[in-house]
């Protein structure tokens, strides 16, 4: 992983796990402080910066991931290509590209900003709360995913008409439909009308 001021400040040189810090924001997305990741997600939740990535192949199919069973938050559920949190001081675009590579072993051939969305989604299973100011990104991918098994259980490329069926058959993350709906205008622009998004 390339070292930037943000990643250097959030990694440990002796190999021990360090607390992961998130950027707290106000309702306008202005940074107002930091909080430890788990603390920020404990009810009622603290509003923090996040990102969501939607990558598509050349057929206009969306790359989904099923979150690894070992994750403490929303394990085993399907979600968008990649989501996460920038380190304090890290640009959301940089964080989105970094985490996509760390989780899925791929780099987008195209990645573009697609707006922001603010939401508050409790996760009944864990009791944690997603209180997020989320930066959305859409893009293209040409390589096959090579997921980190600690992060991702499996992946699938799905067409728009397959998504509803898959969503009815398997659990999806609490935030998935919110971020997908917010990103739809940019997704339609990227994939074209024939893809059906």
């Amino acid at each position: 992983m390339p070292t930037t001021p943000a990643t250097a400040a959030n990694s440990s040189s002796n190999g021990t796990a360090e607390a992961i810090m998130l950027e707290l924001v106000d309702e306008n997305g202005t940074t107002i402080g930091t909080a430890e990741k788990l603390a920020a997600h404990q009810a009622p939740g603290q509003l923090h910066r996040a990102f969501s990535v939607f990558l598509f192949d050349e057929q206009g199919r969306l790359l989904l991931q099923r979150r690894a069973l070992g994750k403490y938050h929303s394990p085993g559920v399907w979600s968008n290509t990649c989501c996460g949190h920038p380190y304090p001081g890290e640009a959301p675009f940089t964080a989105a590209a970094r985490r996509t590579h760390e989780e899925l072993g791929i780099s987008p051939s195209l990645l573009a900003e697609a707006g922001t969305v603010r939401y508050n989604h409790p996760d009944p299973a864990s009791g944690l709360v997603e209180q997020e100011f989320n930066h959305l990104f859409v893009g293209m991918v040409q390589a096959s995913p090579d997921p980190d098994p600690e992060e991702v259980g499996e992946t699938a490329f799905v067409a728009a008409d397959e998504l509803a069926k898959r969503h009815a058959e398997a659990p999806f993350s609490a935030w998935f439909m919110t971020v997908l709906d917010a990103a739809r205008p940019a997704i339609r622009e990227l994939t074209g009308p024939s893809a059906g998004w």
Side-chain angles (χ1 to χ4, degrees):
M1 173 176 66
T3 301
T4 67
T7 57
N10 287 280
S11 62
S12 174
S13 59
N14 63 7
T16 59
E18 223 174 86
I20 297 173
M21 302 302 289
L22 306 186
E23 206 168 80
L24 300 180
V25 299
D26 65 16
E27 294 292 336
N28 298 313
T30 303
T31 302
I32 57 171
T34 60
E36 190 275 325
K37 183 178 177 181
L38 183 57
H41 287 88
Q42 290 174 337
Q46 296 174 276
L47 183 59
H48 58 274
R49 195 176 308 284
F51 64 83
S52 289
V53 177
F54 297 85
L55 295 182
F56 296 82
D57 66 9
E58 292 178 351
Q59 289 77 48
R61 298 179 304 167
L62 172 60
L63 174 58
L64 296 177
Q65 70 155 277
R66 186 172 63 81
R67 294 165 62 85
L69 292 173
K71 293 182 81 69
Y72 73 87
H73 188 352
S74 301
V77 300
W78 286 93
S79 200
N80 49 293
T81 307
C82 180
C83 53
H85 309 92
Y87 293 131
E90 183 181 28
F93 184 94
T94 302
R98 172 179 59 78
R99 284 303 291 164
T100 300
H101 188 266
E102 290 171 358
E103 290 187 11
L104 295 159
I106 53 175
S107 295
S109 56
L110 170 74
L111 190 64
E113 294 182 12
T116 60
V117 62
R118 192 260 195 255
Y119 53 79
N120 177 1
H121 286 301
D123 175 33
S126 67
L128 300 175
V129 178
E130 288 291 2
Q131 185 89 245
E132 294 186 332
F133 188 94
N134 197 306
H135 297 257
L136 307 170
F137 298 92
V138 301
M140 303 292 293
V141 63
Q142 294 172 318
S144 297
D146 181 19
D148 176 350
E150 291 189 14
E151 297 288 343
V152 180
E154 63 183 296
T155 62
F157 281 96
V158 299
D161 59 0
E162 298 172 296
L163 184 65
K165 182 175 185 284
R166 182 177 286 269
H167 198 207
E169 293 174 349
F172 272 64
S173 65
W175 61 86
F176 176 73
M177 288 309 297
T178 300
V179 292
L180 175 63
D181 287 344
R184 276 188 201 274
I187 290 170
R188 290 184 185 122
E189 187 176 330
L190 176 73
T191 61
S194 62
W197 293 102

